[in-house]
């Protein structure tokens, strides 16, 4: 039992160290030796968990894989009295993107997502899985009468995920994610205009300030855990 | 003179071979030996032009760097009687993205753009340079009275470039760019709604069919070269 826990612990520490080394050296340049040194293990111990650098990258992505789904569940729990499903969706994107500024694993996962073979192996699938989640949330919003009649759910879901990717890339290019929430606000102002019926549109909170004040970018009037 | 031309020729052939090897093996896995073999030169000859694989990646990106600007100039030449600057901008994006389906160098450049260190070195700057071009074109459109009064040029330019990046990533993830023009059509229907005044909106051609019929995705009624 203890040995199992130790093993899990080493695996976790290797992942966190890999995230930090990928961040400081870049994925292509990152050396496994430096990851081992940060954790204080031999290369043999590393290989016991991860046969290659690519395996580390894939494990980091896997760790982040469910983040949209986890945040979606968490938003629902935190704001059970929130009347608008679109608000939940907006808050999920703030929560996911806020992580880029504070969580080294999230940053590393975004960094490796677009690495050529990694993208072909799992990155592409993760993007598709995000689209499915967003479409499901939009479907609920439609069911609640929040969406304009001319909204095509698939097109809107793909457009929103595409816009979020654009926000991430531009924010990284321009200022290392410093303005990621402001960019998200601009993006949502646009999407809300396109998607929401007037009553819903007037009630939605799309602002970065609204998100910044809440822990993990999540908002709501329900008690927090 | 001949020797100079030969040298340029070898450099060009190395780039084209690199594009093809990056495509088939992925950037991370690509071996310089295979690039040399495709061109029929020694590794020494390769190093004479490119000191590393990264140098090849950067040269590919540099080759593509001016593509938005070149297409913008070309669109103007091809359709001098086109009354709408927004139509020029739409046609530029079709021309740039159509290349992803047919030009190995364009595909390779997109493939390496997001490679970690490459993005930090030049990819990010190229994205910013696109934003500048799009803002300039929007500024002209505004000058011609095509834009709604509430349009913020910087936000719109960044949003459009972000959307184009999203289109590229989603189209690659889902079907290796097969549907890239259809996705662009969806994207532009949305942006035109947000940007254009009604008279202009009614006149703009945003369809993939419109683009597919024209060479290189460019359209217009001017004589072609």
């Amino acid at each position: 039992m203890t040995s199992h826990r130790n093993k899990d612990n080493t695996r976790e520490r290797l992942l966190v160290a890999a995230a930090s080394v990928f961040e400081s050296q870049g994925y292509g340049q990152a050396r496994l030796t430096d990851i081992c040194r940060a954790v204080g293990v031999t290369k043999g111990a590393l290989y016991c968990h991860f046969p290659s650098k690519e395996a580390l990258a894939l494990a980091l992505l896997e760790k982040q894989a469910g983040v949209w789904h986890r945040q979606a569940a968490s938003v629902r729990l935190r704001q059970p009295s929130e009347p608008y499903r679109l608000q939940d969706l907006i808050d999920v994107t703030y929560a996911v993107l806020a992580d880029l500024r504070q969580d080294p694993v999230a940053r590393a996962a975004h960094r490796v997502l677009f690495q050529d073979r990694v993208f072909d192996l799992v990155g592409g699938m993760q993007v598709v899985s995000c689209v499915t989640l967003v479409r499901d949330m939009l479907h609920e919003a439609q069911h609640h009468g929040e969406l304009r009649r001319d909204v095509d759910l698939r097109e809107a879901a793909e457009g929103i995920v595409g816009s979020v990717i654009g926000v991430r890339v531009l924010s990284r290019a321009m200022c290392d994610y410093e303005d990621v929430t402001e960019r998200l606000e601009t993006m949502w102002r646009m999407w809300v205009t396109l998607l929401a019926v007037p009553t819903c549109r007037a009630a939605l909170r799309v602002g970065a300030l609204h998100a910044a004040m809440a822990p993990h970018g999540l908002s709501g009037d329900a008690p927090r855990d």
Side-chain angles (χ1 to χ4, degrees), chain A residues 154-175:
Chain A
R154 187 181 65 82
E155 286 184 357
E158 293 181 356
I160 289 169
V161 171
S163 295
V164 169
I165 291 171
V167 161
R168 276 155 53 148
V169 170
L170 276 166
S171 181
R172 178 174 164 199
M174 293 201 176
C175 58

Side-chain angles (χ1 to χ4, degrees), chain A residues 7 10-11 14 36 39-50:
Chain A
K7 224 172 169 178
T10 306
R11 188 180 189 282
L14 282 166
C36 292
V39 180
V41 298
T42 62
K43 246 191 185 166
L46 173 96
Y47 285 135
C48 190
H49 294 277
F50 303 102

Side-chain angles (χ1 to χ4, degrees), chain A residues 64-209:
Chain A
Q64 279 301 100
V67 69
W68 283 71
H69 291 81
R70 281 196 301 278
Q71 291 289 2
S74 158
V75 159
R76 278 282 68 205
L77 282 175
R78 280 163 193 265
Q79 46 198 37
S81 58
E82 166 59 51
Y84 292 108
R85 295 295 82 82
L86 274 179
Q87 188 65 54
D88 288 345
L89 176 56
I90 292 169
D91 292 349
V92 166
T93 60
Y94 271 106
V96 171
L97 264 64
D99 275 350
L100 287 175
R101 283 167 60 176
Q102 57 211 23
D103 177 4
V105 171
R107 292 170 71 94
H110 183 55
R111 196 172 262 277
V112 300
L113 175 67
F114 293 113
Q115 301 308 298
D116 217 18
R117 235 171 76 92
V118 177
F119 188 83
D120 290 339
L121 287 172
V122 305
M125 262 187 314
Q126 284 197 8
V127 171
V128 174
S129 150
C130 273
V131 170
T132 308
L133 175 79
V134 174
R135 189 165 56 176
D136 288 349
M137 293 184 83
L138 287 176
H139 188 254
E140 276 197 66
Q142 188 179 51
H143 190 68
H144 280 71
E146 298 170 26
L147 301 193
R148 293 160 51 117
R149 287 176 136 220
D150 58 352
V151 172
D152 177 297
L153 293 188
R154 187 181 65 82
E155 286 184 357
E158 293 181 356
I160 289 169
V161 171
S163 295
V164 169
I165 291 171
V167 161
R168 276 155 53 148
V169 170
L170 276 166
S171 181
R172 178 174 164 199
M174 293 201 176
C175 58
D176 197 26
Y177 303 124
E178 270 309 306
D179 64 359
V180 77
T181 47
E182 288 81 359
R183 284 181 184 278
L184 210 47
E185 176 174 350
T186 309
M187 183 201 108
W188 274 117
R189 264 194 279 114
M190 180 186 95
W191 274 106
V192 160
T193 309
L194 290 166
L195 296 176
V197 295
T199 47
C200 170
R201 200 157 75 207
L204 292 172
R205 305 176 299 280
V206 299
L209 192 62

